[in-house]
Every structure is written in structure tokens, then in C-alpha cells.
Amino acid sequence: MKTLIRVSIRCTILASWLVLCAAQAAGYETAQTLSPLPKPFAAPDFTLQGEDGKTYRLSDYRGKVVVLNFWATWCPPCRYEMPSMERAHKKVQGEQIVLLAINVGESDDKVFEFTGQYPVTFPLLLDLDGAIIRKYPVIGLPTTFVIDPHGVVTHRAIGSREWDDERMLAPLRRLLKP
Amino acid sequence: MLLLAASAAAVINTGTDAEADLPYWEVVENGVSLRLVQRLPDQTRGFFQARGFSIADSELIAQSCVFQTVFKNISPPSDPGVIEYSLDEWVVHAAGAQRRVKTREDWNKEWAVRRPPQAAQLAFEWSLIPTRQVYRPGDYNWGLTLYNLAPGKPFDLDVVWRHGGERHSTRLKGVVCAPDVHVSPATQ
């Protein structure tokens, strides 16, 4: 039994190492940086349907820090960061921090299919015609904005991040301090 | 990995991309990393047909010399820098002539005439590397660049960017568009 456990642990370590090596070789490793915007701006409000059938309005989250992510299922870096967003979502429960991920241009069926492989419990919103992404200064996917409790966009990250990393969460928590 | 050439402080590498198992060309310079990975026309056909493009439109894209492209700001926290580029400044040298990279704006003109479905156009637009971008430390984009050359054609590419406002450029020599290989079950 002990041998089996040892083999299992070794296999797990080896598998993790292989994934890490593959990711590094392909240049997927990311720096955990969240840049403050030189010119913060008021977050354009929107109302969107979620993949869960509910309606979400950005201004309903006033008083909270919102991490607003633009993504697509076919975008590799978007997929890489999705599990870390789910971990971050769980990590900040009970704090006034919410995550919203806006899918650009894909159907609810496509997004639902995606959640089979990448289960997430935070809202996935559907920007079917790309109207909302055009209200924000996004020119590549994924792009993520941080919106402070007053509805002002204060930070931006272009490309994927490990959102549950404390270096990413610390600036979000600082925004909640009066 | 083969070291091809060094222009100014740039290191230029080529080899086989571990994930794609296809050739890549890469520039690494102070604060900047740019990697072009070949993308087979069949991969491009499949991707865009799945996004709603017709066979004819996906063929047009697939025959345009497509590279998976990763542009990163890798400047360290000890020396953070802002990196900017515009694809309009990049120059493609092929068969004794010069041409520009075919950008989102160029393709939008094609789609205005060919009228693919809106969802397909959206996927196309966002799957291309931005025409212009500003990267702060840690930022990067991953997308397609298209060179408007036939499969298998070689070319040199002048890559231009600005680091802290200062213009930098380097030439990637001997880049090759992916050949149009049709893999049949018998050859696998």
C-alpha cells in the first residue's frame, strides 16, 4: 500500500513538473503584475445575460471591487487563467471582491460546453455582438480590468495571470481600505 | 535551439516549439520577447470553419501565411519599462519586394465585401494580435499574425518596437511560412 502511495505521489509530482516544463517551454509562464492605469476612468455600465440565464448589471456591484475579465473559449491564455480565477473567487468569498468574466461573441451553448472542462462558479456573461467590449479599451484577449468600489477602473492586466496569487489579490484588497 | 544571429543586443533563436511541434522564430531583447510559431494551413482552416467562416473564407485565411505570435513585456520589476509596437512599422521582405503585415484593419476591408457571419468576424478580429499595443511589465498578447504570402514561402521580417519611448528594431531572417501539408490517416 505504502509503495502504491509513494508511486502515486511520484507520478503526481512528475505530472505537475511536466505540465510546468511544457508551460515554460511554450512561454506560458506569467508575471504576477497588475499595472495601475495612468488615467483611471469611470467604468462604462452594462447589463448582460449570464450563461446561467440571470441578468447582471455592473452598477449593481457599486461598493465592491470588481475584477472584469474579457475572454473567449478559443483563446489559450484565457483558458490558462480561468482555473486561477475560480480559485481567487473562492479565496475572496466574504470579502467585497467579485469576479465577472465577459465572453466575447460566443453562444451560451459554447460557453456551457466550456464549463464542462473548466468548471467555474462566478458569473460568465455573454457579449454576443461584441458591443460591451468596444466600450472598454480592449485590443487583445484576455484583458482584465479592476474596478474600485466607486466604479472607477484603476488597474489593467493584458494577458493571463494567476489571479489567486497573493501578489494579485493584495492590490484588490487595498482598494477596499478607506 | 540554434542561435542564429545577434543584432544590437537582440538574441534571435529558432527551434521547434514544444507545444505546437512546429518551427518557431524568436527575438529576446532587454524587456521584450516575441515568438512566431508556424501554424499549418489545415489548423487555420479548422479553427475558422469552427468559428463560422465558409470554406472559401477559411481557405483565404489559411493561405495567408499564419503564425501564432506571442509578444511579451518581460522587463523585470527592478527595471520596469513600457513596451509599444505598431504592426504598421513592421516590414516583410520576400522575393525581392517589401510588404506590410496584413492587419485587422486590412482584413476588415475583405470582410466588408465577403460578409462572413458576425460571430465569425468577431472571432477573427480578436484572434489576431492587435495592430498596436502598449504593454506594461508582465503584459502580453497571444494571437495570430498574417503575412499574405503563399504556404512554404521564406521571408525576412523587420520587427520594430519602442521601449520607454526609444525605437528598437531587429530583423528575423529566414522565417518560413508553414507548408500546406495535408495529413491523411494513412500517413499518420
Side-chain angles (χ1 to χ4, degrees):
Chain A
M1 186 63 184
K2 280 184 182 171
T3 307
L4 194 63
I5 291 169
R6 274 196 212 110
V7 169
S8 171
I9 290 170
R10 280 179 191 158
C11 286
T12 306
I13 292 169
L14 181 63
S16 306
W17 181 78
L18 286 174
V19 168
L20 184 65
C21 287
Q24 288 181 340
Y28 304 152
E29 74 275 25
T30 57
Q32 306 318 318
T33 57
L34 189 55
S35 300
L37 289 177
K39 291 181 183 170
F41 60 93
D45 199 15
F46 59 79
T47 301
L48 282 175
Q49 184 101 354
E51 176 269 332
D52 56 5
K54 296 178 185 169
T55 300
Y56 294 87
R57 190 171 65 168
L58 179 65
S59 50
D60 288 344
Y61 295 95
R62 198 59 59 85
K64 298 181 179 182
V65 169
V66 178
V67 178
L68 185 67
N69 171 252
F70 288 92
W71 70 288
T73 64
W74 44 260
C75 151
C78 304
R79 293 198 299 268
Y80 294 140
E81 71 177 347
M82 202 53 90
S84 78
M85 296 190 88
E86 173 63 8
R87 291 193 300 272
H89 169 63
K90 289 183 172 161
K91 217 168 175 177
V92 300
Q93 274 179 1
E95 303 179 53
Q96 296 294 306
I97 299 172
V98 296
L99 287 91
L100 302 174
I102 299 183
N103 176 278
V104 183
E106 296 180 283
S107 68
D108 53 352
D109 282 349
K110 189 68 88 178
V111 175
F112 177 72
E113 188 183 315
F114 172 84
T115 59
Q117 292 175 300
Y118 295 81
V120 297
T121 52
F122 57 87
L124 299 177
L125 316 184
L126 305 170
D127 185 14
L128 293 172
D129 60 0
I132 305 306
I133 194 171
R134 294 192 197 290
K135 290 184 174 184
Y136 282 79
V138 181
I139 46 178
L141 297 180
T143 295
T144 306
F145 296 100
V146 175
I147 303 169
D148 76 7
H150 306 290
V152 175
V153 181
T154 57
H155 295 74
R156 182 184 70 177
I158 300 173
S160 67
R161 301 290 192 276
E162 290 293 323
W163 286 96
D164 59 329
D165 189 302
E166 287 300 325
R167 286 168 292 180
M168 300 301 292
L169 295 176
L172 308 183
R173 291 179 173 132
R174 277 198 293 274
L175 289 172
L176 287 170
K177 290 180 181 166
Chain B
M1 185 186 293
L2 175 68
L3 195 64
L4 279 183
S7 163
V11 175
I12 298 175
N13 304 311
T14 188
T16 302
D17 183 82
E19 173 152 295
D21 198 24
L22 287 166
Y24 76 85
W25 289 260
E26 181 180 64
V27 181
V28 181
E29 199 184 304
N30 180 29
V32 171
S33 159
L34 169 71
R35 180 182 284 213
L36 305 182
V37 184
Q38 270 189 357
R39 194 175 163 87
L40 296 172
D42 254 5
Q43 293 174 310
T44 303
R45 286 184 190 100
F47 178 80
F48 285 109
Q49 284 177 26
R51 309 271 93 72
F53 278 98
S54 66
I55 290 173
D57 285 347
S58 61
E59 190 63 22
L60 174 70
I61 305 166
Q63 296 287 332
S64 296
C65 186
V66 183
F67 281 82
Q68 184 70 265
T69 307
V70 185
F71 199 124
K72 292 181 173 180
N73 181 338
I74 55 171
S75 61
S78 56
D79 183 22
V82 175
I83 309 290
E84 298 172 65
Y85 74 83
S86 168
L87 294 183
D88 291 330
E89 291 188 302
W90 294 16
V91 181
V92 179
H93 303 267
Q98 293 184 5
R99 62 177 72 204
R100 289 173 52 245
V101 176
K102 196 168 178 180
T103 63
R104 286 177 178 177
E105 291 74 17
D106 299 319
W107 283 98
N108 284 344
K109 291 173 193 163
E110 298 265 8
W111 305 140
V113 176
R114 302 174 76 99
R115 297 184 173 277
Q118 186 191 35
Q121 277 192 61
L122 265 177
F124 181 84
E125 178 180 349
W126 292 108
S127 64
L128 263 58
I129 205 100
T131 305
R132 284 165 286 279
Q133 184 60 289
V134 178
Y135 298 115
R136 297 185 183 283
D139 285 345
Y140 73 97
N141 276 126
W142 177 324
L144 306 178
T145 45
L146 297 94
Y147 298 89
N148 209 17
L149 293 166
K153 290 286 180 193
F155 66 98
D156 295 344
L157 177 66
D158 291 341
V159 179
V160 180
W161 69 92
R162 284 174 173 71
H163 186 164
E166 187 181 329
R167 189 178 189 274
H168 296 255
S169 73
T170 195
R171 180 169 292 185
L172 281 174
K173 290 185 177 176
V175 184
V176 181
C177 304
D180 197 359
V181 180
H182 294 271
V183 180
S184 68
T187 59
Q188 283 182 317

